[in-house]
Amino acid sequence: MSNFIDFGIAEKQYKGLGTSITRLFGIKYPIVQGGMIWHSGWKLASAVSNAGGLGLIGAGSMYPDVLREHILKCQKATQKPFGVNVPMLYPNIEEILSIIIELGVKIVFTSAGNPTTYTSMLQSHGIKVAHVVSSTKFALKSQQAGVDAVVAEGFEAGGHNGRDETTTMVLIPSVRQAISLPLIAAGGIALGSQMKAAMVLGADGVQVGSRFAATKESSGHQDWKELITTLEEGATKLTLKELAPVRLVKNAFFEEIEKIYSTGRDPLALKELLGRGRSKKGMFEGDLKNGELEIGQVSALLRTIPSAGEVLENMLSEYRAASIPEL
């Protein structure tokens, strides 16, 4: 008897790039722009949506009144679907969700929290909900919570991450086998060939963060964008597992974290270090030495700062050109 496990993904065909993700969100291409803190404002989200993908406003770095402003500006800048990414570990969550509902946003990506808390409430207002996970276990919990789609994010991703360090190559087929929901792959995806690989593994679409962080419409500081284009393999590392795991560039701030680790991994000292507005200082204000710089491993492949539209155009061209050898 064969021990082969059929993951149910080998026969997937994506003619014209129409998938359950494009149908769910009403978009042209199954490419979602990650809702990254300090990068994903209305300019980036609207540009991605206008180019045929799904743009997301990153609420994690916005006070409620700032989020309101970005949603209103995005609604004026695009007639296409866009959404808001809401990390549930941040304060003002109830006010943020109230603004999203009030302004008629129809797509919400939740992360860093329990999907059962707000999913049904959001759906009662006609909102499609996708939840970001880093393991098959939490993908199953998300399905049980009734979400409309799951984003499975591998260890390669920038920003907040899973503790288990499961790579995208392993995570996507594992989650695909476990759930029946539309599945979005994230982590280590910036090229069309990587997108095709994710689809072959069982994804119905991809979420792209780091590539969009270094675009003209990104709200990240220009000096930070230019630094991204110089990073090489090994320039980032997953750290801060005691608090919330995050992938950072190895700069002076990162070395301060390492120093605390070398003297006993004091969680209070780590919290004090992080409580100095380091992420805004780094990615938004451009302090490349003392700021927190979040980016994925795929930054080692990024050497330009294109427009968001060019990113989609390049990914789609690469996707169509990438061939899989016959065996």
Side-chain angles (χ1 to χ4, degrees):
M1 182 180 291
S2 172
N3 291 322
F4 174 73
I5 298 174
D6 182 4
F7 284 84
I9 60 181
E11 298 303 318
K12 276 196 165 191
Q13 298 294 324
Y14 293 101
K15 298 190 181 198
L17 290 178
T19 76
S20 59
I21 292 299
T22 60
R23 292 187 290 274
L24 176 65
F25 297 130
I27 56 179
K28 188 174 183 181
Y29 305 118
I31 300 174
V32 179
Q33 162 249 313
M36 305 163 286
I37 62 170
W38 304 119
H39 299 91
S40 303
W42 70 270
K43 288 183 181 179
L44 179 57
S46 62
V48 172
S49 290
N50 283 332
L54 178 65
L56 296 180
I57 295 172
S61 54
M62 298 180 181
Y63 290 114
D65 60 330
V66 175
L67 175 61
R68 177 185 293 276
E69 178 185 351
H70 278 261
I71 292 173
L72 290 171
K73 286 183 176 180
C74 199
Q75 289 172 333
K76 289 182 179 179
T78 183
Q79 300 302 309
K80 304 292 181 63
F82 72 91
V84 178
N85 174 266
V86 182
M88 293 190 285
L89 57 76
Y90 285 91
N92 304 315
I93 182 71
E94 300 284 351
E95 188 176 357
I96 284 171
L97 293 179
S98 294
I99 290 170
I100 288 170
I101 293 167
E102 174 197 339
L103 296 181
V105 175
K106 293 303 180 185
I107 300 169
V108 169
F109 279 48
T110 55
S111 59
N114 188 338
T116 61
T117 309
Y118 298 109
T119 294
S120 60
M121 182 273 287
L122 290 168
Q123 290 172 332
S124 72
H125 292 277
I127 296 172
K128 300 295 185 185
V129 179
H131 190 68
V132 182
V133 302
S134 59
S135 70
T136 301
K137 173 183 176 182
F138 287 110
L140 281 166
K141 288 190 174 183
S142 298
Q143 180 168 265
Q144 292 163 6
V147 303
D148 297 288
V150 167
V151 182
E153 184 175 74
F155 164 71
E156 301 94 326
H160 291 291
N161 213 311
R163 288 183 169 83
D164 295 332
E165 301 189 8
T166 305
T167 64
T168 302
M169 182 73 79
V170 173
L171 182 62
I172 298 308
S174 178
V175 172
R176 178 72 290 161
Q177 185 188 30
I179 69 170
S180 58
L181 293 175
L183 174 61
I184 301 168
I189 300 170
L191 307 178
S193 56
Q194 293 168 319
M195 176 181 171
K196 178 166 279 191
M199 304 289 252
V200 170
L201 290 173
D204 302 295
V206 295
Q207 178 173 287
V208 177
S210 297
R211 174 64 283 184
F212 284 116
T215 55
K216 293 174 182 176
E217 296 90 347
S218 163
S219 51
H221 195 280
Q222 185 65 24
D223 290 350
W224 164 227
K225 296 180 193 181
E226 291 175 4
L227 178 66
I228 292 171
T229 67
T230 70
L231 298 176
E232 298 179 350
E233 295 173 14
T236 68
K237 185 176 180 180
L238 191 68
T239 187
L240 294 171
K241 286 190 176 184
E242 292 83 353
L243 303 177
V246 62
R247 180 172 295 283
L248 302 177
V249 172
K250 297 175 183 176
N251 63 351
F253 169 68
F254 175 84
E255 293 304 324
E256 289 186 63
I257 296 173
E258 293 291 288
K259 189 173 182 180
I260 292 174
Y261 280 160
S262 69
T263 58
R265 293 177 173 265
D266 181 357
L268 291 177
L270 291 170
K271 286 181 181 179
E272 181 183 354
L273 183 64
L274 289 170
R276 299 173 187 169
R278 294 298 189 110
S279 63
K280 181 179 182 182
K281 183 189 292 286
M283 295 177 284
F284 192 68
E285 296 178 350
D287 187 338
L288 305 183
K289 180 178 179 182
N290 300 304
E292 179 178 336
L293 305 176
E294 303 178 10
I295 201 74
Q297 288 183 337
V298 79
S299 57
L301 300 177
L302 308 180
R303 292 295 175 262
T304 61
I305 304 175
S307 69
E310 288 170 336
V311 169
L312 267 81
E313 182 180 344
N314 291 339
M315 286 189 68
L316 293 168
S317 176
E318 292 161 356
Y319 179 99
R320 292 169 177 135
S323 61
I324 302 172
E326 293 288 340
L327 298 180

